[in-house]
Amino acid sequence: MLLLCLHEDVSIMALPPRVYLTLQEVTARWGCNIADVAGWADAGRFRILTGIAAVRCGDEIIAGKVVLSPMELLPLFRRCGTGPSEGIMRRIQPAGRSDWLLITDPTGGIPVAVADMLILAEEVHAFEEENDMVRRVTTGPGATTPYDWEGMNVALIQRIHEQGLPATQSELIAEMQDWFADQSGGDRIPDSRTIRRRITPVWKALRREDA
């Protein structure tokens, strides 16, 4: 009986938002070619990442999350779809740094597969918002919108009506992100800046009334 109760408790808990999306998921999400994704990444609109075991780059040992250069793996991103599924990385950018390091050991570089390439979910959401990219959500017959803003507005009104305003606007934004995560299974969550733009007028108006 205890195990059953624990199982039921876990099943109703909301999972945190997804942190990464694969390149395949992004192309399906946007309805575009992998060559387009590589091009936008090369233009600095977002980063393509992967994870590696320890390698030597001169005097440094680098492991874990690294940024890839799409142009150095260009055959993997052929628009015609005839490219290989795996390439060789000879140069990497460690996470949190702007410099590129040449892999010196192994001397021939290390393999990377397209299936192991990732984009941060927050960068995907920011790109969608910046480009007014429409994704279909179930907000009514024929409705198309990147996110369920109408549903968020209802949830926002209910929250304020039942509990009032939290101490800070950041808390309210975090609660709305949790709402999006609950509604979409962690798949469609706007970044905090986007939610802030929509919530700020309400927040300021209600704060003026309180004052």
Side-chain angles (χ1 to χ4, degrees):
M1 180 63 71
L2 177 59
L3 289 176
L4 178 60
C5 292
L6 288 174
H7 174 74
E8 291 176 349
D9 289 343
V10 171
S11 67
I12 62 174
M13 292 175 61
L15 293 173
R18 293 181 63 184
V19 178
Y20 302 102
L21 296 175
T22 67
L23 261 61
Q24 290 92 335
E25 289 172 326
V26 171
T27 56
R29 182 183 180 98
W30 293 346
C32 65
N33 191 282
I34 193 171
D36 298 318
V37 175
W40 292 321
D42 182 66
R45 305 298 298 275
F46 45 77
R47 301 166 299 163
I48 295 178
L49 311 172
T50 195
I52 63 171
V55 299
R56 182 175 291 278
C57 299
D59 295 331
E60 296 187 66
I61 301 295
I62 305 296
K65 183 169 64 178
V66 296
V67 181
L68 306 178
S69 170
M71 293 303 290
E72 294 178 26
L73 296 164
L74 195 57
L76 304 184
F77 307 120
R78 290 175 186 162
R79 188 172 297 277
C80 59
T82 61
S85 61
E86 187 176 283
I88 299 296
M89 293 189 301
R90 294 183 172 85
R91 199 172 67 124
I92 54 176
Q93 184 184 81
R97 291 169 54 169
S98 59
D99 54 327
W100 289 87
L101 304 179
L102 184 67
I103 298 173
T104 54
D105 185 17
T107 54
I110 58 176
V112 58
V114 173
D116 296 327
M117 296 181 186
L118 308 168
I119 301 175
L120 279 168
E122 64 184 45
E123 294 184 5
V124 170
H125 298 148
F127 184 83
E128 291 175 345
E129 187 66 27
E130 289 166 7
N131 293 279
D132 296 323
M133 297 171 69
V134 174
R135 297 194 64 221
R136 189 174 299 275
V137 296
T138 55
T139 57
T144 56
T145 176
Y147 306 104
D148 186 5
W149 296 116
E150 182 179 346
M152 187 206 74
N153 289 337
V154 173
L156 180 65
I157 292 169
Q158 287 178 326
R159 194 268 184 233
I160 295 172
H161 175 71
E162 295 172 0
Q163 305 176 48
L165 289 173
T168 66
Q169 187 178 7
S170 295
E171 292 179 55
L172 190 57
I173 291 169
E175 288 186 28
M176 292 302 100
Q177 283 191 308
D178 289 342
W179 181 86
F180 277 108
D182 290 342
Q183 298 300 309
S184 67
D187 185 48
R188 289 190 297 272
I189 307 170
D191 60 77
S192 59
R193 294 174 302 169
T194 304
I195 296 178
R196 182 180 296 276
R197 285 198 297 268
R198 291 176 176 267
I199 284 181
T200 293
V202 176
W203 177 267
K204 288 183 176 179
L206 293 177
R207 279 302 186 193
R208 281 197 298 269
E209 290 182 6
D210 290 345

